[in-house]
Amino acid sequence: MTRSRSDSLAARSTRAGGVRALLLTLAGLVAILGLGLVTSGGRALAEDETIKIANFTFDPPTLTVKAGTTVTWVNSDDIPHLVTEKDGKFHSSALDTNDKFPRRSRRRVRSSISAQSIRK
Amino acid sequence: MKLSPGNRGHINSRRKIAGPEVDRRGALECMIWAGTGVLWTLSGGVPKSLGLLGDALAAEASAFTFAHISDSHIGFNKPANPDALGTLREAIGKVKELKTHPAFMIHTGDITHLSKPDEFDNADQLIGEAKLDIHYVPGEHDVIDEGLGKAYLARYGKGTKGSGWYSFDDHGVHFIGLVNVIDLKAGGLGRLGPDQLAWFADDIKDKSDSTPIVVLAHIPLWTVYADWGWGTEDGLQALTQLKRFGSVTVLNGHIHQIVQKVEGNMTFHTARSTGFPQPAPGTAPSPGPMTVPAEQLRSLLGIASVEVRTGDKPLAITDTPLAG
């Protein structure tokens, strides 16, 4: 049996007015099997997703995806932003206007599931 | 006095910092959004207290001044100002034209737009033309290199502690440069952190109450507009330690417009940018660059010079736009 859980990734944006993060929640998603591995027959195929950064917010603000999905942040503001995992495990380089940051969600992300509320 | 309709944080911060007695004293609050040349003297509205600057410096023979620029954003080339290098050049030209030659210049951060080496190089070269000692504090745009601040420290960190904080004395005034742009949290304000606050407490503990204090930091140490992160979450912990001093001046950047207020013996002032203007708090969906008609741009950018005058009250700050 498969349990699906959302993993929330926080992103931080550097705004002219302050590094602000927010935006957040990517939901990385993940299907975590009781012991670790995943997959079950009913799992949908992963499809790539895009999160647009505009006016210092993520659009969509929350996204839940399957393991293996590549999520790409695109900065549409005319001020740079950083996308940062909420616990600081990874971050993008400074994204200037129209720069992109692709990130593939992985299965083993349990440690980052803890702090944030799980949303779907 | 002009208050923004959206400055809830501003008003709240006043109450938090000094309590309701500030209202009774009739503290001066003044916010100037965009203006042409503004000349004002901070002595108006400041209650007399211990060791006003004029008293503290009574033995000094003459005034000394320093220049203040901020938010150059070298590398920025969007419609709000396609030539941030050019407007910085104009600002440096204004500094050179100051009637009283400044003792030094301070830059309250966002020297660059993306923390790139060539952006730092271009800024250094241009600012160097002023032929003044420069005291920097970093903005969040200066610490987004791969090392998240290492590039800034490599250039400007000599003699500083931690992520770049420091203090020095000049003409009897104690200057403290703080860093509140490191490790910022999602949706949060600027942050000093416990290590810096501990250093800060130690730095001022032996200073007499009559020592004039000038604090530099990029993000305002007081809450101008929390919704946009225009404040410092632990700034109050630093400001409360400064209450005993007779003259405290806090100089910030970050918000690309002049906001000023006086609270007790503390004077707060944010500088214009030399790069591009930003909207007044709450007047736009986000605090990004504000594009204005080209003929207005230079009236919204500028420099400030700060004069410490013998026999006068606190510091007189003169804001000079690049044009208008």
Side-chain angles (χ1 to χ4, degrees):
Chain A
M1 121 166 226
T2 298
R3 285 187 299 165
S4 248
R5 300 177 73 176
S6 288
D7 166 39
S8 295
L9 302 182
R12 181 175 80 161
S13 84
T14 292
R15 13 156 101 178
V19 174
R20 205 72 127 159
L22 56 75
L23 313 182
L24 61 59
T25 338
L26 161 188
L29 114 135
V30 188
I32 296 182
L33 185 70
L35 296 182
L37 249 236
V38 190
T39 43
S40 81
R43 189 162 65 98
L45 290 176
E47 293 182 12
D48 292 348
E49 299 275 5
T50 297
I51 295 177
K52 180 178 172 184
I53 302 173
N55 271 327
F56 296 80
T57 53
F58 286 138
D59 179 19
T62 302
L63 177 66
T64 300
V65 299
K66 299 287 186 183
T69 300
T70 294
V71 175
T72 301
W73 282 265
V74 180
N75 181 17
S76 298
D77 275 340
D78 52 5
I79 203 77
H81 294 284
L82 294 186
V83 174
T84 305
E85 198 272 337
K86 64 183 171 58
D87 293 326
K89 293 194 179 92
F90 66 84
H91 62 82
S92 69
S93 56
L95 304 179
D96 201 359
T97 305
N98 295 326
D99 282 353
K100 296 176 180 173
F101 176 60
R103 183 82 189 176
R104 186 169 182 269
S105 65
R106 286 180 286 199
R107 291 170 185 168
R108 293 176 156 277
V109 289
R110 280 203 219 170
S111 60
S112 59
I113 290 177
S114 57
Q116 203 126 10
S117 63
I118 293 172
R119 301 198 218 165
K120 290 198 174 182
Chain B
M1 175 164 130
K2 184 178 177 186
L3 291 176
S4 156
N7 69 341
R8 290 167 291 157
H10 181 184
I11 291 170
N12 288 342
S13 84
R14 176 182 64 184
R15 289 178 179 150
K16 280 185 202 164
I17 293 171
E21 65 180 314
V22 169
D23 293 330
R24 292 196 297 272
R25 288 179 187 171
L28 169 69
E29 268 190 78
C30 193
M31 304 181 83
I32 297 170
W33 301 115
T36 52
V38 176
L39 172 66
W40 56 285
T41 303
L42 296 183
S43 55
V46 178
K48 182 167 175 59
S49 184
L50 292 175
L52 284 178
L53 188 58
D55 302 331
L57 291 182
E60 293 289 329
S62 61
F64 92 101
T65 64
F66 60 94
H68 178 194
I69 63 172
S70 195
D71 297 87
S72 304
H73 285 266
I74 296 307
F76 182 82
N77 58 6
K78 303 300 185 295
N81 182 3
D83 188 14
L85 197 60
T87 47
L88 174 61
R89 181 177 290 111
E90 293 175 36
I92 296 301
K94 293 281 185 186
V95 171
K96 289 179 179 174
E97 292 170 5
L98 288 171
K99 289 177 184 171
T100 303
H101 194 62
F104 56 82
M105 182 154 63
I106 62 169
H107 190 304
T108 46
D110 284 355
I111 306 159
T112 70
H113 196 55
L114 294 166
S115 302
K116 292 181 176 176
D118 61 327
E119 295 175 347
F120 280 119
D121 287 344
N122 289 336
D124 284 349
Q125 183 178 351
L126 245 180
I127 293 171
E129 291 178 9
K131 301 196 185 323
L132 295 170
D133 287 336
I134 316 290
H135 299 283
Y136 291 96
V137 289
E140 77 279 7
H141 286 257
D142 299 319
V143 297
I144 50 176
D145 56 303
E146 282 304 309
L148 296 181
K150 288 180 181 169
Y152 172 85
L153 282 180
R155 286 177 186 259
Y156 310 108
K158 187 179 179 184
T160 68
K161 313 274 188 190
S163 51
W165 57 80
Y166 60 89
S167 67
F168 65 95
D169 294 281
D170 199 317
H171 285 71
V173 179
H174 187 59
F175 292 83
I176 306 170
L178 299 178
V179 180
N180 57 1
V181 297
I182 302 294
D183 194 25
L184 302 183
K185 304 301 183 191
L189 302 167
R191 184 169 173 270
L192 296 166
D195 291 349
Q196 186 169 201
L197 284 166
W199 169 85
F200 180 83
D202 185 63
D203 182 71
I204 60 174
K205 75 176 189 312
D206 294 330
K207 298 295 176 188
S208 70
D209 294 355
S210 61
T211 304
I213 303 289
V214 175
V215 181
L216 322 174
H218 178 65
I219 298 175
L221 287 175
W222 45 295
T223 302
V224 175
Y225 190 57
D227 289 356
W228 285 358
W230 288 0
T232 301
E233 65 182 39
D234 50 3
L236 203 58
Q237 294 180 51
L239 296 175
T240 52
Q241 296 182 54
L242 296 174
K243 280 187 173 179
R244 69 181 175 88
F245 292 96
S247 168
V248 177
T249 304
V250 180
L251 302 176
N252 300 123
H254 188 59
I255 66 173
H256 297 209
Q257 60 197 288
I258 296 171
V259 175
Q260 53 199 18
K261 71 168 179 166
V262 175
E263 231 182 64
N265 298 326
M266 293 190 193
T267 298
F268 299 83
H269 180 271
T270 63
R272 286 194 181 97
S273 163
T274 68
F276 56 84
Q278 284 178 226
T283 62
S286 72
M290 178 172 70
T291 301
V292 299
E295 64 272 19
Q296 289 180 22
L297 176 62
R298 282 162 175 76
S299 68
L300 300 175
L301 308 177
I303 64 171
S305 63
V306 183
E307 181 175 7
V308 183
R309 189 181 308 169
T310 304
D312 205 341
K313 290 179 180 176
L315 280 62
I317 301 177
T318 304
D319 285 294
T320 306
L322 295 185

